[in-house]
Amino acid sequence: MHFRHILSALGRHRIAVGLLVLEIAFSCAVVCNALFLIGSRLERMQRPTGVDEAHLVEMFIGSVTRGSADAVMAQTRTDLAALRAIPGVANASVVNQTLFGNSLNASGVSLSDEAKAPSIPVTQYMGDAQLADTLGLKLVDGQWFKPDEFITEEQLESGHSGLPVIITKALADHFFPGQSAVGKTIHAFGTNRVVGVLDRLVQPHDSGPAEYYGYAMLFPVNLPYTEGAYVIRVRDAAQRAAVLQGALRALKADGPLRLISPKYAFTLESQRDKYYRNDRAMAWMLVGVCLLLLVVTAVGIVGLTSFWVAQRRRQIGIRRAIGATRGDILRYFQTENFLIATLGIALGMVLAFGLNLLLMRHYELGRLPGYYFPVGAIVLWLLGQLAVLGPALRAAAVPPVVATRSV
Amino acid sequence: MFGYYLDLALRSLKRTPILTGLMVLAIGLGIGAAMTMLTVLHVMTDDPLPGRSAHLYTPHLDPLPLDYKQGGDGPDPTDDLTWPDAMALLKAQRATRQAAMAGGSLLLRPGRADLRPFYVDGRYATADFFALFGVPFLQGSGWSAADDAAGAQVVVLVDALARKLFGTGNAVGRMVRLGEHDYRVIGVTRDWQPAPMFYVDASAKRYSDGDMFFLPLATAVDRKLDVNGNFSSWGEDRAETRMVSPTTTWLQFWAQLDTPAQAAAYRQYLVDYSAQQKALGRFQRPPANAKLYGLMGWLAHENLVPGDVRLQLWLALGFLFVCMLNIVALLLAKFLRRSGEISVRRALGAKRRDIFVQLGIESALIGVAGGALGLAIAQLGLWSIRQRPDDYARLAQMDMPMLLGTLALAVLASVLAGLLPAWRACRVPPALQLKML
């Protein structure tokens, strides 16, 4: 190939070539990082919660006239019986906080009861004996709570200590790496003995460092409905809407005046959608910026190459007249573009790396994985070749007879 | 000459419609993206109370014990004040006006068959709240300091809520049932919502709906009404005494200080107060930790702009930069292609400066067209932002300065982009090019 000729021709347009190289480099850097950002958002949106998401619905109920604690608790038992009797309901329970909900209940947890012991905030789920089955939680070690271990909310408020706890595998691995957590003690509400380890359960919403997302505890507490939400597992995912309607009807039919509204009844799936709405918007925005950047870069390549083709019409005619084929001319412009793109990509890799360092400093982002570099390079090479094709074909169509004409 | 250059520029742009179109498109996209995000940033960091904000300050004390450890990304307890501290600052009366406040959400039972009970957000505040922030009254007035002391059962409603409950008639003197108690309406304010809501607790949404009612703070504390916001506690934490505990922060506090000297005196007073509390053994940390933030300073400290928005702004600006690189390259090609024409003009006596100005006008013309396209694209971008679920989204509107700023930025960007190509083109030597013709 005639690299030397191409290079010497490019040398005559140093500024224009420089600008094009810069443009390609910058696009490459942004595209690499944007793809990485999109990838990490998608990964974040796919994190499992450890519960049976497809079959869960939940309702929050505002208590308008507050009765005595006993009356509320009795009402809770009546409600739960009514909910479990609805056709299509597998199980129902009260939980203190819901996944993707706004409230997050957490305690500082440490391995010792000294005040200065290092502690981390861990979210706590509380609920009755049916909660684990309702949520569809899986135990990987130890056992579930025994029926006599469940306490009331008043006992909890009055500082009941020695409550057993079930923790997630992620939390167990954090506190007791390489050993079974069952039988060990942690300090959350006083001293708590670990009786079981869950495969997975996550924070209601992201709080603290990313690895804390999978840290959660489960406590055996029989809560009144005013302290949390009803969560219901249906047998068939298609019945979720019908079950929600049925549940609203069942609860309205019975009990004191209270706030029961479809506004506070959701499927877990819709809550998940809502929770990740911003991530989705951000991912689409990044896709949009990438596409626009590529379009603008292509515009630059088409514009400049067209100019060069027009400027060199005479030279092209001469080359054609002395024996160059159409293919030779086509390949000349394609090679030229390949060289410029390669220069741009090489510079772009350095920029992409720098940009990633900058993002890591300001946005808690990981290091750009190596495979994004070749992806970015291939995208820009392809883009360059596509953009240059039109002007290059026009150049190849220049007839040799042009050589015999003056301007 | 300007008219002539304009004519030349128009002719030149018309000669290459595709190239011109591409350049206008590039600058339009770049400007549109950049202005969309700049507008979002502008509305998020706007002055919520123009004219008043310069005199509003929020004092912060540090009553935490020495060994208190801030956990993870939890709320900073020193963002808010404890009840005893807030009351001490109020009693000292070192500011022209000052008020302590906290947000609350109460169930409202309208007592009408056609309206179901619903929750409303409002604020528990001390008497000076209305004068301090200049809340405009439509009917009646706020309560007095004496009402504060007595824990009066009165409420001030916002117009929208008053109309919902009582229609267009006079609301003053009517009763409203909030939570478990009845309150007498003593005033109705115009719908009033500063954006951002600078005086709310860090856990509140700062760009969503404003307060719908105002209750005396003492009444809320007497009745232990529900509070929206962080209770940060580092001592004994019992539900019954939480609100008045000296080791629980939950109150926001704002003061009006009219002169810099008054502000300096207040700052000194905060340090003196902390020193006094330290001497009494209540505070443990250095008295110099006490701070006084101005309104805009406080908003900057709170860092309201989410990381995603900042990232999007940088992306948009980066995109504008690539668009400009693109235009520089295209203009360079375009201008140099006209070397022949330029050298003829030079040979006929045009100075370099004339060529430079002529080409500059051509670039500016592209900028004007690109700016117009950019405005349209920015409106589209802002529309798409308004579809987002975030609380700030609905504010994303362009005001006049932003509108003119868009056009100015577009022209500036294109003139800047035209500088290098124009400079290169005006250095075309007259004779050489003529020979080639």
Side-chain angles (χ1 to χ4, degrees):
Chain A
M1 277 306 247
H2 23 245
F3 276 160
R4 225 159 46 83
H5 300 141
I6 296 175
L7 283 177
S8 76
L10 286 181
R12 294 176 59 103
H13 305 278
R14 269 189 298 266
I15 295 181
V17 170
L19 288 169
L20 209 52
V21 166
L22 260 183
E23 196 179 334
I24 291 174
F26 205 81
S27 295
C28 181
V30 173
V31 166
C32 280
N33 278 285
L35 285 177
F36 173 48
L37 278 170
I38 294 169
S40 43
R41 293 284 165 144
L42 290 181
E43 211 172 280
R44 187 179 128 79
M45 287 164 64
Q46 257 133 35
R47 292 176 304 177
T49 52
V51 307
D52 186 2
E53 280 175 51
H55 293 94
L56 286 179
V57 298
E58 60 200 27
M59 344 179 26
F60 296 84
I61 289 163
S63 158
V64 176
T65 33
R66 229 173 256 167
S68 70
D70 285 342
V72 176
M73 206 57 226
Q75 183 61 44
T76 306
R77 280 190 292 272
T78 317
D79 285 349
L80 281 174
L83 290 175
R84 287 179 192 136
I86 296 170
V89 169
N91 209 342
S93 190
V94 177
V95 65
N96 65 326
Q97 55 182 5
T98 58
L99 282 163
F100 310 119
N102 288 326
S103 83
L104 184 143
N105 203 327
S107 288
V109 178
S110 59
L111 280 179
S112 122
D113 53 0
E114 279 172 50
K116 297 239 168 68
S119 78
I120 57 169
V122 178
T123 188
Q124 59 213 12
Y125 288 83
M126 295 174 187
D128 52 46
Q130 300 299 316
L131 182 63
D133 176 63
T134 306
L135 292 179
L137 299 176
K138 282 187 207 69
L139 205 62
V140 289
D141 195 6
Q143 52 192 330
W144 297 111
F145 300 119
K146 293 191 187 65
D148 61 344
E149 285 172 337
F150 287 85
I151 62 165
T152 65
E153 203 215 352
E154 293 85 71
Q155 284 172 298
L156 184 77
E157 286 283 309
S158 63
H160 186 94
S161 188
L163 207 56
V165 63
I166 292 179
I167 62 176
T168 61
K169 193 165 174 306
L171 187 61
D173 289 343
H174 171 80
F175 277 130
F176 313 104
Q179 39 185 323
S180 169
V182 176
K184 303 263 191 337
T185 48
I186 59 172
H187 297 263
F189 282 110
T191 307
N192 305 102
R193 188 171 43 88
V194 178
V195 296
V197 176
L198 289 175
D199 180 40
R200 188 171 169 85
L201 183 61
V202 297
Q203 296 173 337
H205 53 253
D206 287 83
S207 163
E211 68 266 24
Y212 284 18
Y213 186 61
Y215 293 176
M217 309 181 279
L218 184 61
F219 287 106
V221 184
N222 286 317
L223 287 176
Y225 70 92
T226 47
E227 292 302 311
Y230 283 123
V231 52
I232 305 166
R233 183 159 58 84
V234 301
R235 283 184 217 288
D236 177 3
Q239 286 180 329
R240 279 175 298 183
V243 164
L244 269 180
Q245 289 308 317
L248 286 171
R249 262 199 311 276
L251 295 190
K252 267 185 202 167
D254 181 47
L257 177 65
R258 44 189 178 159
L259 205 59
I260 300 168
S261 157
K263 267 203 324 216
Y264 308 114
F266 323 95
T267 64
L268 192 58
E269 210 168 61
S270 69
Q271 293 288 82
R272 183 193 188 98
D273 266 10
K274 211 166 121 195
Y275 183 72
Y276 285 120
R277 232 170 1 185
N278 271 332
D279 294 280
R280 221 170 11 246
M282 185 74 185
W284 279 114
M285 145 112 196
L286 287 167
V287 169
V289 166
C290 278
L291 285 179
L292 282 179
L293 256 182
L294 294 178
V295 166
V296 167
T297 309
V299 163
I301 294 172
V302 171
L304 264 191
T305 321
S306 299
F307 166 64
W308 284 331
V309 169
Q311 202 184 34
R312 298 179 204 163
R313 257 177 89 81
R314 217 170 118 86
Q315 287 93 320
I316 295 167
I318 294 171
R319 281 198 60 203
R320 291 277 282 123
I322 59 177
T325 62
R326 280 165 198 268
D328 287 335
I329 304 295
L330 188 68
R331 270 193 301 281
Y332 174 86
F333 282 98
Q334 284 175 333
T335 315
E336 184 187 69
N337 180 269
F338 182 80
L339 282 178
I340 293 175
T342 308
L343 268 179
I345 288 164
L347 184 62
M349 297 290 152
V350 180
L351 275 180
F353 185 72
L355 197 59
N356 178 238
L357 286 183
L358 210 69
L359 285 174
M360 273 165 62
R361 252 232 314 272
H362 294 287
Y363 293 100
E364 291 178 28
L365 208 73
R367 183 170 294 281
L368 187 62
Y371 52 83
Y372 281 102
F373 290 104
V375 169
I378 288 169
V379 166
L380 279 148
W381 264 316
L382 280 180
L383 180 83
Q385 289 303 312
L386 274 178
V388 84
L389 198 61
L393 281 174
R394 238 175 304 134
V398 171
V401 72
V402 167
T404 63
R405 296 187 192 139
S406 66
V407 185
Chain B
M1 265 340 238
F2 182 76
Y4 175 58
Y5 289 155
L6 207 61
D7 183 49
L8 278 184
L10 276 174
R11 275 166 198 272
S12 145
L13 293 178
K14 260 191 248 160
R15 215 161 35 223
T16 51
I18 296 176
L19 195 65
T20 307
L22 289 180
M23 284 192 286
V24 169
L25 183 71
I27 197 136
L29 285 173
I31 292 288
M35 286 315 290
T36 302
M37 290 323 294
L38 281 175
T39 304
V40 170
L41 196 74
H42 173 69
V43 298
M44 292 191 83
T45 54
D46 210 9
D47 186 343
L49 285 185
R52 245 171 223 283
S53 55
H55 305 301
L56 290 175
Y57 293 83
T58 178
H60 291 266
L61 300 170
D62 191 352
L64 294 172
L66 281 173
D67 60 354
Y68 182 86
K69 210 166 70 225
Q70 170 82 26
D73 62 352
D76 181 354
T78 65
D79 276 356
D80 301 325
L81 293 185
T82 65
W83 171 262
D85 289 330
M87 290 305 117
L89 294 192
L90 272 184
K91 279 207 193 76
Q93 294 194 336
R94 299 298 176 109
T96 314
R97 295 185 181 104
Q98 48 187 359
M101 64 205 76
S105 193
L106 292 175
L107 187 77
L108 193 152
R109 266 175 284 178
R112 263 167 56 183
D114 57 331
L115 269 181
R116 295 175 55 80
F118 56 94
Y119 280 98
V120 279
D121 291 336
R123 203 138 302 270
Y124 314 134
T126 54
D128 266 353
F129 179 88
F130 304 100
L132 176 67
F133 293 151
V135 187
F137 275 88
L138 289 175
Q139 306 169 20
S141 64
W143 55 85
S144 66
D147 289 336
D148 263 343
Q153 294 166 37
V154 293
V155 65
V156 168
L157 299 182
V158 161
D159 191 34
L161 182 61
R163 259 182 293 133
K164 184 169 177 180
L165 294 176
F166 307 117
T168 48
N170 195 353
V172 172
R174 311 281 291 260
M175 301 300 282
V176 180
R177 189 162 184 82
L178 284 162
E180 305 294 319
H181 305 276
D182 287 322
Y183 300 88
R184 189 167 49 86
V185 179
I186 56 166
V188 176
T189 73
R190 191 169 295 155
D191 293 334
W192 180 78
Q193 186 191 358
M197 297 242 285
F198 59 94
Y199 57 84
V200 301
D201 171 73
S203 68
K205 290 206 155 109
R206 296 196 188 250
Y207 301 93
S208 63
D209 298 333
D211 294 319
M212 300 302 278
F213 69 85
F214 303 94
L215 276 184
L217 182 63
T219 312
V221 171
D222 281 351
R223 293 182 164 162
K224 301 186 180 58
L225 300 182
D226 284 342
V227 171
N228 282 350
N230 296 320
F231 274 93
S232 301
S233 203
W234 56 92
E236 187 190 21
D237 180 26
R238 296 216 326 274
E240 313 88 73
T241 56
R242 184 183 279 171
M243 282 176 137
V244 292
S245 155
T247 53
T248 301
T249 59
W250 63 286
L251 288 160
Q252 293 79 54
F253 197 97
W254 286 85
Q256 179 184 337
L257 302 166
D258 294 324
T259 61
Q262 211 184 349
Y266 200 94
R267 193 168 277 125
Q268 187 53 46
Y269 163 68
L270 290 176
V271 174
D272 293 346
Y273 174 80
S274 302
Q276 179 210 353
Q277 292 296 314
K278 194 173 177 188
L280 289 172
R282 219 191 110 220
F283 284 13
Q284 297 180 6
R285 300 197 174 187
N289 280 10
K291 287 196 185 69
L292 185 69
Y293 293 94
L295 194 158
M296 294 314 281
W298 173 243
L299 290 181
H301 171 82
E302 288 287 274
N303 201 6
L304 301 187
V305 181
D308 270 7
V309 172
R310 262 179 295 146
L311 190 62
Q312 285 165 7
L313 175 69
W314 284 115
L315 266 174
L317 291 179
F319 179 60
L320 176 62
F321 176 70
V322 171
C323 288
M324 280 181 64
L325 274 182
N326 198 352
I327 292 162
V328 177
L330 292 181
L331 280 178
L332 190 68
K334 190 167 163 55
F335 290 167
L336 288 184
R337 199 169 165 188
R338 277 158 51 202
S339 297
E341 177 199 318
I342 292 167
S343 58
V344 171
R345 285 204 61 216
R346 291 273 281 126
L348 290 178
K351 293 195 198 77
R352 274 189 186 168
R353 219 183 47 154
D354 298 324
I355 305 288
F356 193 79
V357 170
Q358 181 205 336
L359 298 178
I361 287 177
E362 196 171 325
S363 326
L365 208 58
I366 294 173
V368 171
L373 181 67
L375 262 185
I377 292 174
Q379 294 303 338
L380 203 71
L382 286 171
W383 174 83
S384 83
I385 298 246
R386 284 198 293 274
Q387 309 307 309
R388 289 191 194 168
D390 309 84
D391 58 344
Y392 62 80
R394 64 190 177 82
L395 296 173
Q397 297 269 13
M398 250 191 203
D399 51 9
M400 212 33 169
M402 286 313 266
L403 216 81
L404 296 177
T406 308
L407 281 176
L409 182 65
V411 174
L412 181 76
S414 60
V415 169
L416 272 180
L419 279 183
L420 174 81
W423 176 76
R424 286 280 295 155
C426 73
R427 288 187 34 190
V428 167
L432 193 70
Q433 291 290 328
L434 274 183
K435 255 187 267 169
M436 282 187 67
L437 276 175

